[in-house]
Amino acid sequence: MPLSNRSTLSRTARSTRLSTVIVCILVLACGSEADTRDATTSGSDDFAANYDEALIPDYTLPDPLVSLSGAHVTDVDTWRTVRRPEILASYEQHVFGETPKGPFETSTEVLSAEPALAGVAIRKEVRVQLTADPAGPAFIILLYLPNSASGPTPTFLALNFYGNASVHADPDITLSAEWMRQNDDFGIVDNRATEATRGARSSRWPVERILERGYGLATLYYGDIDPDYDDGFENGVHPYFNDVVGGPNSWSSIGAWSWGLSRAMDYLVTDADVDPDQVMVMGHSRLGKAALWAGAQDERFAIVISNDSGAGGAALSRRAYGETVARINDVFPHWFNPVFKRYGENESELPVDQHMLLSLVAPRPLYVASAIEDRWADPRGEFLSARHAGPVYQLFGEDPLPVEEWPDVGTPVMGTVGYHVRAGGHDVLPYDWERFMDFADKHLRG
Ligand code: GTR
């Protein structure tokens, strides 16, 4: 499978990018959704994305199966002992920053466990204190399990954007008192959730359906790990891990959110009602980036699912389609480490590309979901990334994506690597969840 794109016209493409940008501004056709998507943007606003396949630069992807010494990796043992650690280290050094190494001084308290949702669920709330400081950062895991379960339940774990109470109108979910991104539509007032926030994001969380299909759902608020704004890492968990904060490969916010997913996993593997070998990490958008980095590092996650994770997530950086490395670093400097800033408009120098992040999930099942109108996240680039992770799966004797060409909208494909592109835009829809559960059925129950 070639790791180069086919285009030869694109040496001039970069120089024509500027004129494309100007045209896009004139016709107001580019980047509009993304530019208004996020209230925490801090960078310049003179960026317009490339949405023209013909203007994608020539690129050659780094080969996940060629180690830094130049040797080809042809067996699982060398992958595990040499190449996988190299790629993990590259992601720490060049993209997400260094992850603190344990053991960690976390502590856990089960706050409640009771029937909920008209009796179809058991709802638990579990507080996880993330450091030894009782006044330090903590999150609450909201866990719904099917009341009908006869044993430990396979469970999805996902971060949420607006607090646990936003996930379902269930009035007994603890309302977060922590800082949140402002959002009038979701009842966030002065950066705090209110009663109006309850269930505000429930369209993205079909809890009853997940339970009906025999799965559990665990979720926690990402801002409890690190609030999502650029403050020099003075809040959240970062101040407690000074050995990895500061310097070129400083631990980033995405790094911290991923780490938080692993701390949630530390609890889930101890809950007798959760199947510790069947916890699936899932995330949407920036939280999809975090889910991928968590799933790459922490092999306890049985299945890893990315939804519309885009730049810095599943999408290939070298395509520079939609959101680019330069743009994401400009607007969200805290998401990545300082070294990653070097690769804006300079993607070919990156020692990794995102197919390599995906390949770190191998041989565990990996699912990548895109939305056709979510051009900012480069749906085709997400597909290509999943496809180019395939050789690492094949090394393990696992099925790569079963197709070579980008499948049609609404046509999921499922090997050990799975993918779909659905109709519509940047969101998590029931369609996405149904496919995640189909994929889980195939691998956990097939
Ligand atoms: C956008 C950002 C994307 C994506 C998205 C989200 O503003 O450019 O990379 O992460 O936010 O998280 O909703």
PDB file of all heavy atoms in Angstrom, residues 3-15 17 50 52-61 317-320 345-349 353:
ATOM      1  N   LEU A   3       2.500   4.797   0.578  1.00  0.00           N
ATOM      2  CA  LEU A   3       2.336   5.784   1.637  1.00  0.00           C
ATOM      3  C   LEU A   3       2.405   7.209   1.094  1.00  0.00           C
ATOM      4  O   LEU A   3       2.412   8.156   1.845  1.00  0.00           O
ATOM      5  CB  LEU A   3       3.404   5.582   2.712  1.00  0.00           C
ATOM      6  CG  LEU A   3       3.273   4.301   3.548  1.00  0.00           C
ATOM      7  CD1 LEU A   3       4.435   4.186   4.516  1.00  0.00           C
ATOM      8  CD2 LEU A   3       1.967   4.273   4.314  1.00  0.00           C
ATOM      9  N   SER A   4       2.473   7.343  -0.246  1.00  0.00           N
ATOM     10  CA  SER A   4       2.478   8.681  -0.838  1.00  0.00           C
ATOM     11  C   SER A   4       1.124   8.956  -1.454  1.00  0.00           C
ATOM     12  O   SER A   4       0.467   8.044  -1.951  1.00  0.00           O
ATOM     13  CB  SER A   4       3.508   8.771  -1.956  1.00  0.00           C
ATOM     14  OG  SER A   4       4.794   8.558  -1.445  1.00  0.00           O
ATOM     15  N   ASN A   5       0.736  10.220  -1.463  1.00  0.00           N
ATOM     16  CA  ASN A   5      -0.461  10.535  -2.244  1.00  0.00           C
ATOM     17  C   ASN A   5      -0.071  10.631  -3.700  1.00  0.00           C
ATOM     18  O   ASN A   5       1.095  10.763  -4.048  1.00  0.00           O
ATOM     19  CB  ASN A   5      -1.157  11.796  -1.721  1.00  0.00           C
ATOM     20  CG  ASN A   5      -0.308  13.032  -1.881  1.00  0.00           C
ATOM     21  OD1 ASN A   5       0.910  12.933  -1.899  1.00  0.00           O
ATOM     22  ND2 ASN A   5      -0.942  14.169  -1.986  1.00  0.00           N
ATOM     23  N   ARG A   6      -1.041  10.527  -4.581  1.00  0.00           N
ATOM     24  CA  ARG A   6      -0.748  10.368  -6.000  1.00  0.00           C
ATOM     25  C   ARG A   6      -0.429  11.668  -6.694  1.00  0.00           C
ATOM     26  O   ARG A   6       0.082  11.666  -7.797  1.00  0.00           O
ATOM     27  CB  ARG A   6      -1.907   9.658  -6.715  1.00  0.00           C
ATOM     28  CG  ARG A   6      -3.113  10.539  -6.982  1.00  0.00           C
ATOM     29  CD  ARG A   6      -3.988  10.760  -5.733  1.00  0.00           C
ATOM     30  NE  ARG A   6      -4.992  11.802  -5.905  1.00  0.00           N
ATOM     31  CZ  ARG A   6      -4.852  13.019  -5.384  1.00  0.00           C
ATOM     32  NH1 ARG A   6      -3.766  13.377  -4.744  1.00  0.00           N
ATOM     33  NH2 ARG A   6      -5.815  13.901  -5.546  1.00  0.00           N
ATOM     34  N   SER A   7      -0.702  12.763  -6.032  1.00  0.00           N
ATOM     35  CA  SER A   7      -0.639  14.033  -6.726  1.00  0.00           C
ATOM     36  C   SER A   7       0.788  14.432  -7.091  1.00  0.00           C
ATOM     37  O   SER A   7       1.706  14.317  -6.299  1.00  0.00           O
ATOM     38  CB  SER A   7      -1.257  15.101  -5.833  1.00  0.00           C
ATOM     39  OG  SER A   7      -0.801  16.360  -6.224  1.00  0.00           O
ATOM     40  N   THR A   8       1.000  14.887  -8.311  1.00  0.00           N
ATOM     41  CA  THR A   8       2.292  15.452  -8.663  1.00  0.00           C
ATOM     42  C   THR A   8       2.163  16.939  -8.948  1.00  0.00           C
ATOM     43  O   THR A   8       3.139  17.621  -9.174  1.00  0.00           O
ATOM     44  CB  THR A   8       2.853  14.771  -9.926  1.00  0.00           C
ATOM     45  OG1 THR A   8       1.847  14.785 -10.919  1.00  0.00           O
ATOM     46  CG2 THR A   8       3.301  13.352  -9.631  1.00  0.00           C
ATOM     47  N   LEU A   9       0.938  17.422  -8.924  1.00  0.00           N
ATOM     48  CA  LEU A   9       0.763  18.824  -9.292  1.00  0.00           C
ATOM     49  C   LEU A   9       0.997  19.777  -8.118  1.00  0.00           C
ATOM     50  O   LEU A   9       0.978  20.972  -8.273  1.00  0.00           O
ATOM     51  CB  LEU A   9      -0.643  19.066  -9.854  1.00  0.00           C
ATOM     52  CG  LEU A   9      -1.856  18.658  -9.000  1.00  0.00           C
ATOM     53  CD1 LEU A   9      -2.175  19.690  -7.951  1.00  0.00           C
ATOM     54  CD2 LEU A   9      -3.054  18.429  -9.887  1.00  0.00           C
ATOM     55  N   SER A  10       1.288  19.188  -6.949  1.00  0.00           N
ATOM     56  CA  SER A  10       1.124  20.031  -5.784  1.00  0.00           C
ATOM     57  C   SER A  10       2.348  20.768  -5.302  1.00  0.00           C
ATOM     58  O   SER A  10       2.309  21.402  -4.278  1.00  0.00           O
ATOM     59  CB  SER A  10       0.551  19.197  -4.645  1.00  0.00           C
ATOM     60  OG  SER A  10      -0.704  18.747  -5.043  1.00  0.00           O
ATOM     61  N   ARG A  11       3.483  20.673  -6.007  1.00  0.00           N
ATOM     62  CA  ARG A  11       4.597  21.516  -5.593  1.00  0.00           C
ATOM     63  C   ARG A  11       4.181  22.975  -5.695  1.00  0.00           C
ATOM     64  O   ARG A  11       4.569  23.806  -4.896  1.00  0.00           O
ATOM     65  CB  ARG A  11       5.814  21.237  -6.477  1.00  0.00           C
ATOM     66  CG  ARG A  11       7.061  21.851  -5.935  1.00  0.00           C
ATOM     67  CD  ARG A  11       8.203  20.878  -5.927  1.00  0.00           C
ATOM     68  NE  ARG A  11       8.017  19.758  -5.036  1.00  0.00           N
ATOM     69  CZ  ARG A  11       8.285  19.798  -3.732  1.00  0.00           C
ATOM     70  NH1 ARG A  11       8.715  20.900  -3.191  1.00  0.00           N
ATOM     71  NH2 ARG A  11       8.123  18.758  -2.985  1.00  0.00           N
ATOM     72  N   THR A  12       3.354  23.261  -6.665  1.00  0.00           N
ATOM     73  CA  THR A  12       2.853  24.627  -6.793  1.00  0.00           C
ATOM     74  C   THR A  12       1.638  24.865  -5.907  1.00  0.00           C
ATOM     75  O   THR A  12       1.208  25.993  -5.736  1.00  0.00           O
ATOM     76  CB  THR A  12       2.424  24.914  -8.253  1.00  0.00           C
ATOM     77  OG1 THR A  12       1.576  23.858  -8.656  1.00  0.00           O
ATOM     78  CG2 THR A  12       3.598  25.025  -9.173  1.00  0.00           C
ATOM     79  N   ALA A  13       1.129  23.764  -5.336  1.00  0.00           N
ATOM     80  CA  ALA A  13      -0.135  23.911  -4.616  1.00  0.00           C
ATOM     81  C   ALA A  13      -0.006  24.829  -3.414  1.00  0.00           C
ATOM     82  O   ALA A  13      -0.879  25.622  -3.132  1.00  0.00           O
ATOM     83  CB  ALA A  13      -0.641  22.546  -4.174  1.00  0.00           C
ATOM     84  N   ARG A  14       1.154  24.691  -2.709  1.00  0.00           N
ATOM     85  CA  ARG A  14       1.280  25.533  -1.517  1.00  0.00           C
ATOM     86  C   ARG A  14       1.282  26.999  -1.881  1.00  0.00           C
ATOM     87  O   ARG A  14       0.707  27.816  -1.185  1.00  0.00           O
ATOM     88  CB  ARG A  14       2.552  25.171  -0.761  1.00  0.00           C
ATOM     89  CG  ARG A  14       2.320  24.003   0.145  1.00  0.00           C
ATOM     90  CD  ARG A  14       3.494  23.763   1.043  1.00  0.00           C
ATOM     91  NE  ARG A  14       3.242  22.552   1.801  1.00  0.00           N
ATOM     92  CZ  ARG A  14       2.782  22.538   3.047  1.00  0.00           C
ATOM     93  NH1 ARG A  14       2.549  23.653   3.683  1.00  0.00           N
ATOM     94  NH2 ARG A  14       2.550  21.404   3.663  1.00  0.00           N
ATOM     95  N   SER A  15       1.934  27.321  -2.999  1.00  0.00           N
ATOM     96  CA  SER A  15       1.968  28.729  -3.364  1.00  0.00           C
ATOM     97  C   SER A  15       0.606  29.216  -3.851  1.00  0.00           C
ATOM     98  O   SER A  15       0.290  30.392  -3.742  1.00  0.00           O
ATOM     99  CB  SER A  15       3.054  28.987  -4.405  1.00  0.00           C
ATOM    100  OG  SER A  15       2.878  28.111  -5.473  1.00  0.00           O
ATOM    101  N   ARG A  17      -2.051  28.170  -2.480  1.00  0.00           N
ATOM    102  CA  ARG A  17      -2.947  28.115  -1.325  1.00  0.00           C
ATOM    103  C   ARG A  17      -3.413  29.509  -0.932  1.00  0.00           C
ATOM    104  O   ARG A  17      -4.555  29.738  -0.621  1.00  0.00           O
ATOM    105  CB  ARG A  17      -2.217  27.457  -0.144  1.00  0.00           C
ATOM    106  CG  ARG A  17      -3.020  26.410   0.548  1.00  0.00           C
ATOM    107  CD  ARG A  17      -2.078  25.371   1.110  1.00  0.00           C
ATOM    108  NE  ARG A  17      -2.188  25.264   2.555  1.00  0.00           N
ATOM    109  CZ  ARG A  17      -1.370  24.519   3.302  1.00  0.00           C
ATOM    110  NH1 ARG A  17      -0.402  23.849   2.753  1.00  0.00           N
ATOM    111  NH2 ARG A  17      -1.532  24.455   4.580  1.00  0.00           N
ATOM    112  N   ASN A  50      -8.240  24.960   3.266  1.00  0.00           N
ATOM    113  CA  ASN A  50      -8.294  24.363   1.937  1.00  0.00           C
ATOM    114  C   ASN A  50      -9.287  23.215   1.931  1.00  0.00           C
ATOM    115  O   ASN A  50      -9.198  22.289   2.751  1.00  0.00           O
ATOM    116  CB  ASN A  50      -6.924  23.817   1.521  1.00  0.00           C
ATOM    117  CG  ASN A  50      -7.038  23.064   0.207  1.00  0.00           C
ATOM    118  OD1 ASN A  50      -7.690  23.554  -0.724  1.00  0.00           O
ATOM    119  ND2 ASN A  50      -6.447  21.884   0.129  1.00  0.00           N
ATOM    120  N   ASP A  52     -10.006  21.805  -1.216  1.00  0.00           N
ATOM    121  CA  ASP A  52      -9.858  21.352  -2.597  1.00  0.00           C
ATOM    122  C   ASP A  52      -8.827  20.216  -2.627  1.00  0.00           C
ATOM    123  O   ASP A  52      -7.640  20.436  -2.358  1.00  0.00           O
ATOM    124  CB  ASP A  52      -9.390  22.541  -3.447  1.00  0.00           C
ATOM    125  CG  ASP A  52      -9.295  22.187  -4.921  1.00  0.00           C
ATOM    126  OD1 ASP A  52      -9.342  20.979  -5.267  1.00  0.00           O
ATOM    127  OD2 ASP A  52      -9.151  23.119  -5.723  1.00  0.00           O
ATOM    128  N   GLU A  53      -9.293  19.005  -2.984  1.00  0.00           N
ATOM    129  CA  GLU A  53      -8.377  17.842  -3.024  1.00  0.00           C
ATOM    130  C   GLU A  53      -7.202  18.096  -3.961  1.00  0.00           C
ATOM    131  O   GLU A  53      -6.100  17.597  -3.726  1.00  0.00           O
ATOM    132  CB  GLU A  53      -9.129  16.576  -3.473  1.00  0.00           C
ATOM    133  CG  GLU A  53     -10.064  15.987  -2.424  1.00  0.00           C
ATOM    134  CD  GLU A  53      -9.337  15.236  -1.300  1.00  0.00           C
ATOM    135  OE1 GLU A  53      -8.225  14.728  -1.512  1.00  0.00           O
ATOM    136  OE2 GLU A  53      -9.911  15.186  -0.191  1.00  0.00           O
ATOM    137  N   ALA A  54      -7.435  18.876  -5.007  1.00  0.00           N
ATOM    138  CA  ALA A  54      -6.363  19.116  -5.976  1.00  0.00           C
ATOM    139  C   ALA A  54      -5.237  19.964  -5.389  1.00  0.00           C
ATOM    140  O   ALA A  54      -4.146  20.001  -5.942  1.00  0.00           O
ATOM    141  CB  ALA A  54      -6.937  19.797  -7.221  1.00  0.00           C
ATOM    142  N   LEU A  55      -5.516  20.664  -4.301  1.00  0.00           N
ATOM    143  CA  LEU A  55      -4.500  21.534  -3.703  1.00  0.00           C
ATOM    144  C   LEU A  55      -3.813  20.911  -2.496  1.00  0.00           C
ATOM    145  O   LEU A  55      -3.037  21.578  -1.807  1.00  0.00           O
ATOM    146  CB  LEU A  55      -5.140  22.870  -3.308  1.00  0.00           C
ATOM    147  CG  LEU A  55      -5.683  23.695  -4.465  1.00  0.00           C
ATOM    148  CD1 LEU A  55      -6.252  25.006  -3.965  1.00  0.00           C
ATOM    149  CD2 LEU A  55      -4.610  23.944  -5.518  1.00  0.00           C
ATOM    150  N   ILE A  56      -4.087  19.641  -2.262  1.00  0.00           N
ATOM    151  CA  ILE A  56      -3.402  18.963  -1.157  1.00  0.00           C
ATOM    152  C   ILE A  56      -1.936  18.775  -1.540  1.00  0.00           C
ATOM    153  O   ILE A  56      -1.635  18.346  -2.649  1.00  0.00           O
ATOM    154  CB  ILE A  56      -4.097  17.617  -0.852  1.00  0.00           C
ATOM    155  CG1 ILE A  56      -5.431  17.932  -0.158  1.00  0.00           C
ATOM    156  CG2 ILE A  56      -3.231  16.712   0.015  1.00  0.00           C
ATOM    157  CD1 ILE A  56      -6.317  16.754   0.018  1.00  0.00           C
ATOM    158  N   PRO A  57      -1.023  19.136  -0.625  1.00  0.00           N
ATOM    159  CA  PRO A  57       0.395  19.038  -0.981  1.00  0.00           C
ATOM    160  C   PRO A  57       0.815  17.593  -1.257  1.00  0.00           C
ATOM    161  O   PRO A  57       0.206  16.663  -0.738  1.00  0.00           O
ATOM    162  CB  PRO A  57       1.117  19.547   0.273  1.00  0.00           C
ATOM    163  CG  PRO A  57       0.080  20.082   1.189  1.00  0.00           C
ATOM    164  CD  PRO A  57      -1.248  19.607   0.746  1.00  0.00           C
ATOM    165  N   ASP A  58       1.843  17.443  -2.027  1.00  0.00           N
ATOM    166  CA  ASP A  58       2.497  16.127  -2.132  1.00  0.00           C
ATOM    167  C   ASP A  58       2.959  15.709  -0.748  1.00  0.00           C
ATOM    168  O   ASP A  58       3.501  16.534  -0.015  1.00  0.00           O
ATOM    169  CB  ASP A  58       3.765  16.250  -2.982  1.00  0.00           C
ATOM    170  CG  ASP A  58       3.512  15.853  -4.409  1.00  0.00           C
ATOM    171  OD1 ASP A  58       2.456  15.267  -4.680  1.00  0.00           O
ATOM    172  OD2 ASP A  58       4.387  16.148  -5.232  1.00  0.00           O
ATOM    173  N   TYR A  59       2.749  14.466  -0.428  1.00  0.00           N
ATOM    174  CA  TYR A  59       3.282  14.039   0.870  1.00  0.00           C
ATOM    175  C   TYR A  59       3.641  12.569   0.826  1.00  0.00           C
ATOM    176  O   TYR A  59       3.100  11.796   0.026  1.00  0.00           O
ATOM    177  CB  TYR A  59       2.293  14.313   2.008  1.00  0.00           C
ATOM    178  CG  TYR A  59       0.980  13.543   1.931  1.00  0.00           C
ATOM    179  CD1 TYR A  59       0.885  12.232   2.399  1.00  0.00           C
ATOM    180  CD2 TYR A  59      -0.158  14.134   1.410  1.00  0.00           C
ATOM    181  CE1 TYR A  59      -0.316  11.534   2.343  1.00  0.00           C
ATOM    182  CE2 TYR A  59      -1.361  13.450   1.348  1.00  0.00           C
ATOM    183  CZ  TYR A  59      -1.440  12.155   1.814  1.00  0.00           C
ATOM    184  OH  TYR A  59      -2.620  11.457   1.753  1.00  0.00           O
ATOM    185  N   THR A  60       4.565  12.200   1.687  1.00  0.00           N
ATOM    186  CA  THR A  60       4.898  10.798   1.915  1.00  0.00           C
ATOM    187  C   THR A  60       4.748  10.555   3.403  1.00  0.00           C
ATOM    188  O   THR A  60       5.353  11.271   4.213  1.00  0.00           O
ATOM    189  CB  THR A  60       6.345  10.489   1.475  1.00  0.00           C
ATOM    190  OG1 THR A  60       6.467  10.815   0.089  1.00  0.00           O
ATOM    191  CG2 THR A  60       6.677   9.020   1.687  1.00  0.00           C
ATOM    192  N   LEU A  61       3.945   9.593   3.755  1.00  0.00           N
ATOM    193  CA  LEU A  61       3.729   9.307   5.173  1.00  0.00           C
ATOM    194  C   LEU A  61       4.902   8.522   5.740  1.00  0.00           C
ATOM    195  O   LEU A  61       5.435   7.634   5.062  1.00  0.00           O
ATOM    196  CB  LEU A  61       2.448   8.490   5.359  1.00  0.00           C
ATOM    197  CG  LEU A  61       1.144   9.187   4.984  1.00  0.00           C
ATOM    198  CD1 LEU A  61      -0.036   8.209   5.136  1.00  0.00           C
ATOM    199  CD2 LEU A  61       0.907  10.417   5.854  1.00  0.00           C
ATOM    200  N   SER A 317      -2.239  14.780   9.175  1.00  0.00           N
ATOM    201  CA  SER A 317      -1.769  16.172   9.232  1.00  0.00           C
ATOM    202  C   SER A 317      -1.239  16.634   7.878  1.00  0.00           C
ATOM    203  O   SER A 317      -1.423  17.791   7.488  1.00  0.00           O
ATOM    204  CB  SER A 317      -0.648  16.300  10.267  1.00  0.00           C
ATOM    205  OG  SER A 317      -1.105  15.916  11.539  1.00  0.00           O
ATOM    206  N   ARG A 318      -0.552  15.728   7.157  1.00  0.00           N
ATOM    207  CA  ARG A 318       0.120  16.142   5.925  1.00  0.00           C
ATOM    208  C   ARG A 318      -0.851  16.552   4.819  1.00  0.00           C
ATOM    209  O   ARG A 318      -0.432  17.195   3.866  1.00  0.00           O
ATOM    210  CB  ARG A 318       1.043  15.020   5.432  1.00  0.00           C
ATOM    211  CG  ARG A 318       2.376  14.977   6.180  1.00  0.00           C
ATOM    212  CD  ARG A 318       3.133  13.694   5.892  1.00  0.00           C
ATOM    213  NE  ARG A 318       4.479  13.668   6.464  1.00  0.00           N
ATOM    214  CZ  ARG A 318       4.743  13.498   7.769  1.00  0.00           C
ATOM    215  NH1 ARG A 318       3.749  13.366   8.640  1.00  0.00           N
ATOM    216  NH2 ARG A 318       5.999  13.466   8.190  1.00  0.00           N
ATOM    217  N   ARG A 319      -2.103  16.193   4.916  1.00  0.00           N
ATOM    218  CA  ARG A 319      -3.059  16.628   3.901  1.00  0.00           C
ATOM    219  C   ARG A 319      -3.397  18.116   4.046  1.00  0.00           C
ATOM    220  O   ARG A 319      -3.812  18.757   3.071  1.00  0.00           O
ATOM    221  CB  ARG A 319      -4.350  15.798   3.978  1.00  0.00           C
ATOM    222  CG  ARG A 319      -4.241  14.454   3.302  1.00  0.00           C
ATOM    223  CD  ARG A 319      -5.424  13.548   3.626  1.00  0.00           C
ATOM    224  NE  ARG A 319      -6.736  14.145   3.408  1.00  0.00           N
ATOM    225  CZ  ARG A 319      -7.386  14.211   2.238  1.00  0.00           C
ATOM    226  NH1 ARG A 319      -6.822  13.691   1.146  1.00  0.00           N
ATOM    227  NH2 ARG A 319      -8.574  14.765   2.155  1.00  0.00           N
ATOM    228  N   ALA A 320      -3.237  18.642   5.239  1.00  0.00           N
ATOM    229  CA  ALA A 320      -3.517  20.074   5.471  1.00  0.00           C
ATOM    230  C   ALA A 320      -4.864  20.477   4.879  1.00  0.00           C
ATOM    231  O   ALA A 320      -5.000  21.561   4.297  1.00  0.00           O
ATOM    232  CB  ALA A 320      -2.374  20.935   4.906  1.00  0.00           C
ATOM    233  N   GLU A 345       2.543  24.584   8.838  1.00  0.00           N
ATOM    234  CA  GLU A 345       3.034  24.829   7.468  1.00  0.00           C
ATOM    235  C   GLU A 345       4.324  24.056   7.199  1.00  0.00           C
ATOM    236  O   GLU A 345       5.096  24.416   6.320  1.00  0.00           O
ATOM    237  CB  GLU A 345       3.277  26.340   7.235  1.00  0.00           C
ATOM    238  CG  GLU A 345       2.022  27.190   7.372  1.00  0.00           C
ATOM    239  CD  GLU A 345       1.097  27.073   6.175  1.00  0.00           C
ATOM    240  OE1 GLU A 345       1.583  26.779   5.061  1.00  0.00           O
ATOM    241  OE2 GLU A 345      -0.122  27.247   6.371  1.00  0.00           O
ATOM    242  N   ASN A 346       4.566  23.033   7.977  1.00  0.00           N
ATOM    243  CA  ASN A 346       5.835  22.301   7.907  1.00  0.00           C
ATOM    244  C   ASN A 346       5.578  20.841   8.273  1.00  0.00           C
ATOM    245  O   ASN A 346       6.396  20.190   8.923  1.00  0.00           O
ATOM    246  CB  ASN A 346       6.796  22.959   8.928  1.00  0.00           C
ATOM    247  CG  ASN A 346       8.203  22.448   8.809  1.00  0.00           C
ATOM    248  OD1 ASN A 346       8.620  22.000   7.736  1.00  0.00           O
ATOM    249  ND2 ASN A 346       8.935  22.494   9.910  1.00  0.00           N
ATOM    250  N   GLU A 347       4.413  20.351   7.841  1.00  0.00           N
ATOM    251  CA  GLU A 347       3.968  19.027   8.293  1.00  0.00           C
ATOM    252  C   GLU A 347       4.899  17.916   7.860  1.00  0.00           C
ATOM    253  O   GLU A 347       5.004  16.878   8.527  1.00  0.00           O
ATOM    254  CB  GLU A 347       2.549  18.733   7.772  1.00  0.00           C
ATOM    255  CG  GLU A 347       1.454  19.637   8.316  1.00  0.00           C
ATOM    256  CD  GLU A 347       1.272  20.916   7.521  1.00  0.00           C
ATOM    257  OE1 GLU A 347       2.115  21.210   6.640  1.00  0.00           O
ATOM    258  OE2 GLU A 347       0.277  21.625   7.767  1.00  0.00           O
ATOM    259  N   SER A 348       5.592  18.111   6.732  1.00  0.00           N
ATOM    260  CA  SER A 348       6.435  17.022   6.219  1.00  0.00           C
ATOM    261  C   SER A 348       7.594  16.708   7.162  1.00  0.00           C
ATOM    262  O   SER A 348       8.200  15.642   7.078  1.00  0.00           O
ATOM    263  CB  SER A 348       6.967  17.367   4.831  1.00  0.00           C
ATOM    264  OG  SER A 348       7.772  18.515   4.934  1.00  0.00           O
ATOM    265  N   GLU A 349       7.895  17.636   8.074  1.00  0.00           N
ATOM    266  CA  GLU A 349       8.989  17.384   9.029  1.00  0.00           C
ATOM    267  C   GLU A 349       8.533  16.595  10.250  1.00  0.00           C
ATOM    268  O   GLU A 349       9.361  16.160  11.061  1.00  0.00           O
ATOM    269  CB  GLU A 349       9.603  18.713   9.488  1.00  0.00           C
ATOM    270  CG  GLU A 349      10.340  19.456   8.389  1.00  0.00           C
ATOM    271  CD  GLU A 349      11.458  18.618   7.789  1.00  0.00           C
ATOM    272  OE1 GLU A 349      12.278  18.074   8.549  1.00  0.00           O
ATOM    273  OE2 GLU A 349      11.498  18.493   6.544  1.00  0.00           O
ATOM    274  N   ASP A 353       2.662  10.692  11.569  1.00  0.00           N
ATOM    275  CA  ASP A 353       1.375  11.236  11.120  1.00  0.00           C
ATOM    276  C   ASP A 353       0.300  10.379  11.771  1.00  0.00           C
ATOM    277  O   ASP A 353       0.617   9.369  12.431  1.00  0.00           O
ATOM    278  CB  ASP A 353       1.276  11.323   9.593  1.00  0.00           C
ATOM    279  CG  ASP A 353       0.385  12.503   9.168  1.00  0.00           C
ATOM    280  OD1 ASP A 353      -0.659  12.727   9.824  1.00  0.00           O
ATOM    281  OD2 ASP A 353       0.728  13.205   8.197  1.00  0.00           O
TER     282      ASP A 353
END
